[in-house]
Amino acid sequence: LHQGPEGSVLPAGVWGAEYVLEQVIVMSTPGLTEQEFKEWSDDLQYIIWDCHISLQNFEALAKHLHRGAEWIPISGFLDHLRTQYYFTLVTQLAKLFCEGDHALRFTALMNRLAAPPVSSFVLGRLEHNTRDSIHARLPQFWKSEQEMRDGLKRLKQGIAKQKAVIERLHKCRNKVIAHTDSIQQRQSAEQAAPTVSELKELAKLAAEIHNLIQAGLGLGSFSFDTTGS
């Protein structure tokens, strides 16, 4: 048995072991500097923006497919283009949600933010929220380490709810898109691949996580509305 969050007891080998491993990673991870956070945030913003543009274009192309005789000459091209947008979505979302050596993934960022001792950059942001007359009154702005940890915990829970889709995303990325596996393995991964609707939900979740972390630290959020892009 392992001691879980809030005093609960978790069976070893289920997700109790995962929780303990996460705590070990957090405790051995150096705190995040301001420059590192800015670069990380900028990279995340670009990836999420890329996902939202790909989704919009994928959906916009649908109305032109098999529409009439005048579209037949380019229907194959449009189908191919939609496939490329799907590839982009899988590749980019895997960077954010799939465990592994993806340096930009959300869980890695959250672990760096919460790594004890909390970095001077993060403490400075919490202090800023405490002093700011507007931020001090609103719950989305973290004013203490505990508020930040609670906020990050909720974000991780949101990711955990998408665990089944993320596992299928990871399999699709590794066996269909990024590598050339045997036909049997590839077919299995293709059949289990996330739908565009599921990828859209992950893209929405990515935008929400990015902006909630930004808000928590008292920084500006970003609109990922791609209308007119």
Side-chain angles (χ1 to χ4, degrees):
L1 295 178
H2 297 300
Q3 190 70 22
E6 275 137 31
S8 60
V9 177
L10 307 171
V14 189
W15 68 273
E18 295 177 7
Y19 173 81
V20 171
L21 177 60
E22 179 181 290
Q23 302 313 301
V24 172
I25 292 173
V26 169
M27 293 176 66
S28 61
T29 303
L32 197 66
T33 67
E34 181 173 6
Q35 182 62 29
E36 285 179 305
F37 178 81
K38 183 183 184 307
E39 293 174 357
W40 206 324
S41 181
D42 288 346
D43 286 342
L44 291 176
Q45 184 175 302
Y46 172 81
I47 290 172
I48 299 168
W49 178 246
D50 194 21
C51 289
H52 281 255
I53 290 178
S54 295
L55 278 166
Q56 177 184 298
N57 290 344
F58 185 97
E59 293 172 345
L61 286 172
K63 60 186 178 183
H64 298 299
L65 290 173
H66 319 297
R67 187 174 177 179
E70 69 275 18
W71 291 93
I72 290 177
I74 62 169
S75 61
F77 167 74
L78 296 180
D79 273 327
H80 177 74
L81 192 56
R82 275 167 45 99
T83 299
Q84 294 306 308
Y85 285 131
Y86 183 88
F87 280 17
T88 298
L89 284 166
V90 170
T91 303
Q92 296 290 53
L93 289 170
K95 295 176 185 176
L96 305 180
F97 290 106
C98 296
E99 293 301 315
D101 296 328
H102 312 295
L104 291 170
R105 69 186 189 279
F106 281 124
T107 52
L109 173 59
M110 295 180 200
N111 289 341
R112 289 292 303 279
L113 285 169
V118 174
S119 71
S120 58
F121 158 66
V122 174
L123 291 176
R125 298 309 311 171
L126 301 179
E127 177 63 23
H128 169 79
N129 288 339
T130 302
R131 294 196 313 268
D132 187 283
S133 59
I134 297 177
H135 291 191
R137 299 196 306 268
L138 300 175
Q140 65 264 40
F141 300 105
W142 302 324
K143 271 77 74 178
S144 67
E145 289 185 42
Q146 189 58 51
E147 285 189 12
M148 178 182 69
R149 294 183 195 283
D150 290 343
L152 295 177
K153 179 181 176 181
R154 287 191 292 272
L155 295 181
K156 287 183 178 181
Q157 289 171 340
I159 294 175
K161 290 179 181 178
Q162 296 291 332
K163 182 178 180 181
V165 175
I166 292 171
E167 288 177 346
R168 288 161 49 215
L169 170 70
H170 198 192
K171 187 175 181 180
C172 179
R173 184 262 179 200
N174 285 350
K175 296 184 179 298
V176 179
I177 293 177
H179 305 289
T180 303
D181 284 344
S182 66
I183 187 64
Q184 293 84 2
Q185 289 179 310
R186 200 160 64 247
Q187 285 178 337
S188 174
E190 287 174 353
Q191 291 168 1
T195 66
V196 174
S197 295
E198 289 171 326
L199 296 179
K200 188 173 185 176
E201 288 303 308
L202 284 182
K204 289 180 179 178
L205 178 61
E208 180 181 353
I209 292 172
H210 175 273
N211 282 337
L212 285 174
I213 291 175
Q214 289 285 118
L217 296 174
L219 300 169
S221 60
F222 184 83
S223 173
F224 293 100
D225 179 12
T226 56
T227 302
S229 297

